[in-house]
Amino acid sequence: MPDGLQHISELELVEKCQNYRRVWIEQGSICFTSTTNGLILINAKNERGLRSIDRLLGFAYRGEIGSTSMDCHNLEKLPDNIDWENACKCWQTLGVKDIDPTTARTDITFRVTTERKGKHEYKSMEASIIFGGAVNDHFEWKAKMLGYDIEILLYIRDNTMYFGIVLCDYNPILNSVQHKLSKRNRSAVGVTTLNSAICFCMCKLADIQPFEIVVDPLAGVGTIPIEGGQVWNNNIFFAGDIENEETSSIAENISKFGTNNNIMHLQWNAKHLPLKDESIDVIITDLPFGHKHGSKRINRELYPRILQEFYRILSSNGRAILLTTARGIMKDVLNVQQNMWNMTELLRINVGGFVTDLYKIQKSPSLEPEILLQ
């Protein structure tokens, strides 16, 4: 799951998972137990499955690992010394093959994917090769890079590692390796398309109530309103952008993935929205970071203008969920507009390798008209 949003994922687990019990929780990961029926219900291929995750793993092992090449070579000792029963049973419950992988031997194909964070002497590919060779020796499964039956994810963060069997990380509609869960609900993409799991978490953080009107004024390709519209089907979502290309992408993605007919799309300028005063309940948007799109200079002019516009269209108890890396600019804007907004939550998350701030701000009802005009 996205780093920094594990508490939102846990809220979703509590709501959806039968007999959920946390084993441990850390940055970007939750280990938990559940019943077999609970596992089937939360499977991300299920229509009502988990949306706040990038992957669901059948857990196998968690332990310490050093950063040297010798430590990496010690991975070859692991497969023979751990209990694979839990991970394999989870895979068998949700797998495409009705077969016991612990006894299937050469009837199973597999690959190992390694993801690392932190400084290590070894590369991810080296860890995958060493560990994959040891798994082959242990089970006699055949290595296969594409079209495999089982994927083992080896995750290393600094000196801690865990691994398990991937149960689901594909888009349940497109179902191909090019379309992970983090890229679901879009066929048209843009320069800075946001991870779908993060989009769902932003909607969840907004605490959307029935019949509220939700707007993404800088919608890009429309991932936030599509994620919201699929789950909160008693609400109306508006998606808009200033660019012709992005507006066309919004329309394409809504036509394919806007399943509840509750998403409207328009082309507009976020500094001058064609919406009435106090007509919107919630704003959820991914602000331009100034890296791939725009610049810091542009953002210094843009942010104050659009936050004033957001204030104008929000109802008296309206709130906004804003994502940005421009920490200094946001601090300055919120300081100048301190009579307009109350910040109720600030989360620091990882978005594509960038340390990013996620703000939840509430409209202050006590603003005098002349302050808004400054």
Side-chain angles (χ1 to χ4, degrees):
M1 65 197 62
D3 281 8
L5 294 173
Q6 54 274 0
H7 71 289
I8 295 180
S9 294
E10 186 165 44
L11 286 175
E12 190 187 14
L13 275 165
V14 171
E15 291 172 2
K16 295 182 176 180
C17 183
Q18 291 182 357
N19 299 318
Y20 165 80
R21 185 177 67 82
R22 182 206 294 181
V23 178
W24 49 261
I25 184 170
E26 62 185 24
Q27 192 82 341
S29 306
I30 300 174
C31 183
F32 65 96
T33 61
S34 177
T35 62
T36 299
N37 286 338
L39 182 61
I40 293 171
L41 284 173
I42 63 170
N43 177 17
K45 290 181 180 177
N46 184 316
E47 182 178 88
R48 298 183 59 216
L50 295 176
R51 289 177 171 264
S52 61
I53 63 169
D54 291 324
R55 295 186 186 91
L56 189 63
L57 303 180
F59 177 74
Y61 177 83
R62 182 173 185 258
E64 300 297 312
I65 185 171
S67 60
T68 69
S69 295
M70 182 64 71
D71 293 315
C72 182
H73 280 278
N74 287 336
L75 289 171
E76 63 188 13
K77 303 174 184 177
L78 271 179
D80 290 336
N81 295 304
I82 65 169
D83 185 358
W84 289 87
E85 182 180 0
N86 172 72
C88 290
K89 189 177 293 184
C90 289
W91 179 87
Q92 194 173 5
T93 301
L94 301 178
V96 294
K97 285 189 174 183
D98 185 17
I99 187 172
D100 182 355
T102 60
T103 59
R105 303 178 67 179
T106 57
D107 290 335
I108 290 286
T109 58
F110 82 105
R111 68 166 286 167
V112 174
T113 301
T114 300
E115 294 183 1
R116 292 181 304 111
K117 292 187 179 178
K119 293 183 179 180
H120 308 94
E121 291 181 6
Y122 49 88
K123 303 294 185 184
S124 298
M125 182 62 73
E126 183 183 358
S128 293
I129 291 170
I130 292 172
F131 189 62
V135 171
N136 172 260
D137 292 341
H138 181 78
F139 285 113
E140 297 183 38
W141 296 343
K142 289 193 228 177
K144 191 176 182 182
M145 294 301 99
L146 295 173
Y148 43 79
D149 298 314
I150 287 177
E151 180 181 18
I152 298 171
L153 176 70
L154 174 60
Y155 184 82
I156 301 172
R157 181 194 287 270
D158 298 321
N159 293 322
T160 300
M161 71 169 174
Y162 64 81
F163 60 86
I165 294 177
V166 177
L167 305 179
C168 184
D169 68 345
Y170 296 154
N171 185 314
I173 297 175
L174 300 176
N175 195 29
S176 70
V177 72
Q178 288 81 17
H179 295 91
K180 302 284 189 179
L181 283 173
S182 59
K183 300 179 181 178
R184 64 178 178 261
N185 291 332
R186 57 179 182 253
S187 56
V189 297
V191 177
T192 57
T193 308
L194 189 62
N195 180 322
S196 300
I198 294 176
C199 294
F200 170 80
C201 289
M202 291 172 71
C203 293
K204 190 76 173 168
L205 183 64
D207 191 25
I208 300 170
Q209 299 301 305
F211 310 112
E212 286 188 323
I213 299 174
V214 184
V215 171
D216 184 351
L218 302 133
V221 299
T223 312
I224 290 174
I226 290 172
E227 282 292 315
Q230 287 184 350
V231 177
W232 287 270
N233 52 19
N234 289 322
N235 299 79
I236 298 295
F237 289 79
F238 286 94
D241 205 278
I242 195 170
E243 303 288 347
N244 291 329
E245 185 177 348
E246 303 286 44
T247 307
S248 299
S249 297
I250 293 172
E252 178 182 331
N253 288 333
I254 289 174
S255 68
K256 291 185 178 181
F257 305 108
T259 53
N260 292 321
N261 297 317
N262 60 341
I263 308 170
M264 316 297 172
H265 65 90
L266 303 93
Q267 185 169 11
W268 59 31
N269 184 336
K271 293 187 286 188
H272 305 286
L273 294 168
L275 300 168
K276 293 182 179 180
D277 294 357
E278 300 191 348
S279 60
I280 303 302
D281 300 294
V282 182
I283 292 172
I284 307 173
T285 199
D286 174 17
L287 296 171
F289 292 179
H291 300 290
K292 295 181 179 179
H293 194 281
S295 67
K296 290 184 179 179
R297 180 184 61 80
I298 292 173
N299 285 347
R300 285 198 177 278
E301 184 276 331
L302 176 67
Y303 280 28
R305 295 278 300 276
I306 61 175
L307 260 70
Q308 282 191 344
E309 188 68 352
F310 293 173
Y311 186 92
R312 180 186 68 80
I313 66 171
L314 279 173
S315 62
S316 58
N317 63 342
R319 56 216 177 270
I321 307 297
L322 308 176
L323 183 72
T324 182
T325 59
R327 188 170 305 119
I329 298 175
M330 276 297 291
K331 182 179 179 180
D332 291 343
V333 173
L334 292 176
N335 185 51
V336 171
Q337 299 183 3
Q338 60 184 303
N339 293 325
M340 297 166 62
W341 304 104
N342 295 318
M343 186 167 65
T344 58
E345 198 159 357
L346 174 58
L347 304 175
R348 190 148 290 171
I349 68 174
N350 185 306
V351 179
F354 293 105
V355 178
T356 309
D357 287 344
L358 181 58
Y359 296 82
K360 182 176 183 179
I361 57 177
Q362 189 91 20
K363 179 176 178 177
S364 174
S366 59
L367 183 63
E368 294 296 329
E370 62 269 23
I371 298 175
L372 181 58
L373 296 174
Q374 288 180 345

